[in-house]
Amino acid sequence: MIRKLILVPCTLFPVIFCMAQPDRWQQRVKYTMNVDVNVQTNRFTGKQKLEYWNNSPDTLSRVFYHLYWNAFQPNSMMDNRSRRQGSIVLRQGRNGNDIVDWDQRVRDRIQNLKPEEYGYQKIFSLKMNGRPQKLKTEETILVVELDKPIPPRSRATFEMDFESQVPLQIRRSGRDNPTSKVRYSMSQWYPKMCEYDYEGWHPTPYVAREFYGVWGDFDVTISIDKTYMLAATGYLQNPNQIGYGYESKGTSVSRPSGTKLTWHFIAPNVHDFVWAADPEYVHVSRKLKDSLTVHVFYKPTNATAQQWEALLDMAEKALPFIEKTFGPYPYKQYSFIHGGDGGMEYPMATLIIGPGAAIHEWMHSWYYGLLGTNESMYPWMDEGFTQYAEERVTAFLNNSTTFPYQDEYAGYFNLARSSKEEPLTTHADHYNTNFAYGSAVYSKGAVFMEQLGYVVGEQVRDKILLEYYKLWRYKHPNAQDFMNIAEKVSGMKLDWYKEFWINSTKTIDYAIDSLWEENGKTNIRIKDMGLIPMPIDLQLTFKDSTKELHYVPLDLMYGTKPAETDSVSRKVYDPWQWTSATYTIQTSRKLTDIIVAEIDPSQRMADIERKNNRLELKW
Ligand SMILES: [Zn+2]
């Protein structure tokens, strides 16, 4: 593969550096889909035209599609996986019952579906450039052996006829979800081309977890019973025929005759398309700025109308902070849609069962939506970074000054002590337990980002976030791509941080070992009792309530964290060689002046044994 390097103008922070603009090739899609929904049988027929640009340097002799809904049938891989996880005992509950590893939403529900409740996607025909192709359905993956290969840097057109049955809602997609009876939560609803990238094809069988898709443009028309209101990814093209709050102000809506309405949406530059439909939706919207309207579609169940509509106020207040911290939101709309289970992110939209999940799902627009990492390979870069962003936005909205990541650190510590931990390099589908997956990906992934702030400095970490967004949006970055940005922006080597924190399950434990006076100086010896080396902030608090910060960089960093605050004087030491078990720092103050010595008072370093980090001295 050829990687061109295009130089972009330098940024002055914290040292002068030039960032090469990554130019990784991307496949490209343009979907044109027409579907006709029967709300009595819960089935729909679909025609899909897919223009596919093979921008890779490779010749493709076959292609793969996802057929996610075939997972919702008894004995599917998703069903088997779920029931096997239900047999794993995590621990004993308080009442002596076994706590098992179920995803409570899935459990054995797929096993118990009746035929009319199954999901399926049946492909009747598929042509490439007008010629019928040979198809093989392997449950949730359609394998297409092409009669003629697609050459590098060329375009092929696929035309497909299909029929789907909407499954009873089990997880994410489906009809009539148990909590609020939203009729249709239509995610993963169409045959979707798998991504082909520099690592090859990604035909990942669906077992309930993560997603990855090809960026492109969607043109979708949906014919459905007139009484249903729709919410979707993309911009509605015929609002004045539709009404339902989409029409321009002052327009009288003129609907065509017949029992159905045809909704026409287009969505540019996204890697998926979701829609939802219910006859009882309430639709409210607000223009947050010229280029962005936020919508809320809800049924006044699970939360009150006021709580649902308050999402508009939340979005209005949060947007400037979010864009300043994480980068601009580039689409013209975003919709909070009542549906699904819990919360799930889609381009320009989320399906949530209540307003509580809104901020997390909206923040996915950045990591799932715009960065678009392969979530199967790097789930922590999506869920962990999103979790981090959610806590940060929530703290901003609440004007909170307490540490926002308490739950994520606690979740990580719980995992690290559980004996169930697996490294973050684990494929999302391959974690042995739902417990280890969730705690690693969400909690340890969020801690990665906050702890990075401890290593490189908070302001530098914030520069990294923006530079990452700027250079890698729409490009599927991997873990190393993030680390490269972090190294360049910070001017430090950080490979060790990835190797220990992401690639291993080793843990951090530093301790204050001893203090003594010698030749008019006080010595404080710090001991490394863990297996991950880290730079050390040690703060001394004196009787007169003054403080000193002593900073010991780690040798592997080949750099020094800039001071994060001017309010405390800081002394910078020679680097701690990571093989050394102890390091001694010194203060000119008397031992009996010290009342507290504390390693990392910010608590951003995820030290699994914090009791030995802080020493209070009584004289
Ligand atoms: Zn999430």
Side-chain angles (χ1 to χ4, degrees):
M1 155 200 5
I2 300 157
R3 281 191 67 178
K4 274 187 292 185
L5 296 179
I6 301 162
L7 295 180
V8 296
C10 295
T11 307
L12 281 167
F13 191 90
V15 286
I16 295 174
F17 65 92
C18 274
M19 198 76 83
Q21 179 79 34
D23 191 25
R24 193 172 282 158
W25 52 264
Q26 299 282 327
Q27 305 298 67
R28 184 88 191 167
V29 287
K30 181 174 192 301
Y31 287 94
T32 307
M33 291 190 277
N34 301 297
V35 299
D36 190 9
V37 185
N38 181 330
V39 298
Q40 270 80 47
T41 61
N42 301 304
R43 291 181 190 156
F44 62 88
T45 53
K47 282 190 186 304
Q48 181 190 81
K49 180 179 160 198
L50 170 59
E51 289 165 83
Y52 184 71
W53 283 264
N54 176 19
N55 295 326
S56 82
D58 308 323
T59 299
L60 305 178
S61 58
R62 51 183 186 169
V63 301
F64 300 84
Y65 287 80
H66 295 283
L67 304 175
Y68 291 108
W69 283 3
N70 291 343
F72 301 107
Q73 296 171 16
N75 302 316
S76 68
M77 290 175 70
M78 181 172 169
D79 179 34
N80 285 329
R81 178 110 177 109
S82 179
R83 285 182 292 119
R84 277 175 69 177
Q85 297 200 297
S87 69
I88 299 173
V89 178
L90 291 175
R91 59 180 188 278
Q92 230 62 57
R94 287 227 177 88
N95 53 9
N97 289 356
D98 290 344
I99 307 259
V100 298
D101 191 48
W102 288 119
D103 176 334
Q104 292 298 334
R105 291 164 288 196
V106 184
R107 300 178 65 103
D108 56 354
R109 291 177 61 215
I110 299 177
Q111 185 71 12
N112 295 317
L113 289 176
K114 301 185 196 76
E116 68 274 17
E117 296 170 337
Y118 292 5
Y120 65 67
Q121 282 162 329
K122 287 182 185 162
I123 312 305
F124 295 136
S125 68
L126 178 67
K127 288 178 180 164
M128 181 178 74
N129 301 333
R131 302 183 309 273
Q133 300 298 308
K134 224 168 86 190
L135 310 178
K136 193 173 167 211
T137 299
E138 297 193 14
E139 198 180 287
T140 58
I141 297 293
L142 177 74
V143 186
V144 187
E145 303 286 349
L146 302 173
D147 65 340
K148 286 185 194 164
I150 309 173
R153 297 173 200 94
S154 70
R155 184 177 66 161
T157 303
F158 293 92
E159 281 166 295
M160 180 190 276
D161 284 308
F162 67 100
E163 186 195 57
S164 296
Q165 178 166 288
V166 187
L168 188 69
Q169 199 266 348
I170 299 288
R171 189 76 174 89
R172 304 192 177 107
S173 326
R175 64 179 171 88
D176 306 311
N177 65 348
T179 49
S180 38
K181 300 290 172 215
V182 170
R183 286 271 22 243
Y184 293 119
S185 298
M186 302 292 276
S187 53
Q188 292 87 43
W189 60 276
Y190 60 96
K192 180 182 174 185
M193 183 67 84
C194 298
E195 180 61 299
Y196 182 84
D197 65 13
Y198 65 100
E199 294 175 316
W201 282 106
H202 295 279
T204 311
Y206 186 52
V207 295
R209 284 226 173 100
E210 301 292 324
F211 300 94
Y212 191 36
V214 191
W215 265 291
D217 303 320
F218 286 72
D219 183 316
V220 180
T221 52
I222 300 159
S223 291
I224 192 168
D225 195 288
K226 254 185 181 159
T227 58
Y228 281 66
M229 192 197 296
L230 262 63
T233 299
Y235 317 136
L236 185 64
Q237 297 301 292
N238 53 342
N240 296 338
Q241 277 187 350
I242 296 289
Y244 283 125
Y246 284 97
E247 69 274 22
S248 359
K249 281 218 165 60
T251 318
S252 66
V253 176
S254 69
R255 288 184 176 156
S257 58
T259 56
K260 286 188 170 177
L261 266 180
T262 299
W263 300 63
H264 181 200
F265 295 94
I266 59 164
N269 218 13
V270 290
H271 54 71
D272 203 356
F273 186 100
V274 71
W275 60 282
D278 193 282
E280 290 167 15
Y281 270 149
V282 178
H283 174 199
V284 291
S285 65
R286 189 180 297 172
K287 205 169 197 151
L288 297 195
K289 53 183 188 180
D290 273 352
S291 56
L292 176 62
T293 302
V294 169
H295 303 257
V296 179
F297 299 86
Y298 69 94
K299 295 169 81 167
T301 58
N302 295 23
T304 63
Q306 286 83 347
Q307 287 168 318
W308 280 106
E309 295 189 14
L311 290 178
L312 297 176
D313 301 328
M314 180 281 285
E316 184 165 18
K317 186 173 172 197
L319 183 71
F321 174 79
I322 293 173
E323 294 199 311
K324 186 173 74 122
T325 313
F326 301 101
Y329 180 79
Y331 302 111
K332 289 193 289 191
Q333 76 142 49
Y334 188 80
S335 297
F336 297 100
I337 308 168
H338 190 174
D341 56 59
M344 185 64 194
E345 65 279 10
Y346 304 99
M348 300 190 215
T350 174
L351 292 176
I352 46 179
I353 55 160
I359 298 173
H360 178 93
E361 304 311 331
W362 191 21
M363 294 320 297
H364 267 301
S365 291
W366 279 258
Y367 296 105
Y368 149 88
L370 292 165
L371 277 308
T373 46
N374 178 345
E375 298 172 20
S376 295
M377 303 293 288
Y378 312 104
W380 59 278
M381 295 178 70
D382 172 39
E383 291 300 349
F385 291 8
T386 298
Q387 188 70 21
Y388 168 82
E390 176 198 349
E391 295 293 13
R392 196 155 168 185
V393 172
T394 304
F396 164 79
L397 286 169
N398 296 340
N399 235 335
S400 162
T401 50
T402 56
F403 187 63
Y405 312 100
Q406 210 74 52
D407 290 350
E408 287 71 23
Y409 278 72
Y412 161 65
F413 293 140
N414 185 34
L415 171 70
R417 294 186 190 110
S418 71
S419 82
K420 299 270 190 266
E421 188 178 3
E422 297 172 65
L424 282 171
T425 47
T426 308
H427 186 290
D429 295 338
H430 302 173
Y431 280 88
N432 294 328
T433 59
N434 284 313
F435 163 72
Y437 164 77
S439 309
V441 164
Y442 288 76
S443 297
K444 196 181 181 187
V447 171
F448 168 88
M449 189 61 85
E450 180 59 5
Q451 186 169 252
L452 179 65
Y454 172 75
V455 174
V456 301
E458 197 176 305
Q459 294 88 346
V460 178
R461 191 268 327 280
D462 285 358
K463 286 271 177 194
I464 293 169
L465 279 172
L466 283 172
E467 205 62 27
Y468 176 54
Y469 166 89
K470 210 168 86 192
L471 290 180
W472 281 103
R473 69 194 134 155
Y474 308 114
K475 290 196 177 86
H476 299 317
N478 60 38
Q480 191 54 45
D481 297 324
F482 180 86
M483 296 315 296
N484 290 346
I485 299 281
E487 286 200 344
K488 283 172 186 157
V489 175
S490 67
M492 294 176 194
K493 279 301 293 171
L494 294 165
D495 48 347
W496 61 275
Y497 185 48
K498 176 169 161 251
E499 281 150 19
F500 283 104
W501 194 254
I502 304 301
N503 302 8
S504 91
T505 58
K506 295 173 198 279
T507 54
I508 302 165
D509 182 17
Y510 283 88
I512 294 177
D513 180 62
S514 47
L515 296 87
W516 71 96
E517 235 174 56
E518 202 173 286
N519 305 327
K521 289 199 160 152
T522 303
N523 296 276
I524 299 117
R525 189 162 70 186
I526 311 162
K527 196 169 171 187
D528 180 4
M529 302 167 72
L531 294 170
I532 301 184
M534 289 291 280
I536 293 299
D537 279 343
L538 180 124
Q539 184 176 272
L540 299 176
T541 307
F542 302 101
K543 274 181 187 154
D544 61 5
S545 40
T546 57
K547 293 176 197 299
E548 282 176 6
L549 188 60
H550 297 257
Y551 169 64
V552 190
L554 178 68
D555 63 339
L556 301 172
M557 292 160 55
Y558 297 98
T560 305
K561 167 165 74 173
E564 294 177 277
T565 166
D566 300 332
S567 62
V568 184
S569 74
R570 186 174 81 143
K571 184 173 167 191
V572 178
Y573 290 78
D574 286 338
W576 184 330
Q577 292 180 317
W578 72 272
T579 49
S580 300
T582 62
Y583 195 105
T584 302
I585 63 124
Q586 284 186 328
T587 175
S588 54
R589 305 282 294 259
K590 287 212 290 279
L591 176 57
T592 51
D593 272 354
I594 302 174
I595 53 168
V596 181
E598 185 172 13
I599 295 168
D600 179 32
S602 74
Q603 309 226 331
R604 289 172 296 171
M605 184 173 84
D607 187 314
I608 53 156
E609 184 48 272
R610 279 184 170 160
K611 280 197 219 94
N612 57 24
N613 286 25
R614 183 183 161 94
L615 196 65
E616 287 183 36
L617 300 161
K618 298 202 167 56
W619 303 103

